[in-house]
Amino acid sequence: MNFMFLRRLGPDPHANGRKTVALNNCPDLFELESGDFAIIGIDITSAARAKLPSTASCGPDERIVMIPRNLLVEAKSDIPDTV
């Protein structure tokens, strides 16, 4: 798979000495050069798979990740409005 990170969406999770849930590691959100997005979060696939709505599924090559609410809210202004 070939991809390039274009930019971080939202502020740096450690900016201004900010602490994150994982402290050393951190959830993060990036836009890829292709226009797709990459998310660093906590893998909750095992616990969440059985709780998905009947209209959703998680394939063997996919993971369900959890990110803190503030990560997405603070990145909102960086997320494009159009496809």
Side-chain angles (χ1 to χ4, degrees):
M1 180 176 284
N2 191 12
F3 61 89
M4 294 291 295
F5 288 96
L6 182 63
R7 66 184 178 127
R8 171 181 273 123
L9 302 179
D12 181 328
H14 295 128
N16 302 317
R18 192 173 183 177
K19 300 291 183 190
T20 60
V21 177
L23 296 178
N24 294 328
N25 301 317
C26 54
D28 223 331
L29 180 59
F30 295 92
E31 183 174 5
L32 302 176
E33 196 172 60
S34 66
D36 292 329
F37 300 95
I39 298 173
I40 299 171
I42 297 169
D43 186 347
I44 62 168
T45 306
S46 296
R49 185 176 271 136
K51 298 178 182 185
L52 284 170
S54 61
T55 56
S57 63
C58 181
D61 62 337
E62 298 175 321
R63 299 292 173 263
I64 302 168
V65 297
M66 178 178 67
I67 59 172
R69 177 181 176 85
N70 70 297
L71 179 70
L72 194 57
V73 171
E74 291 175 355
K76 186 176 180 178
S77 63
D78 291 339
I79 298 172
D81 290 328
T82 59
V83 178

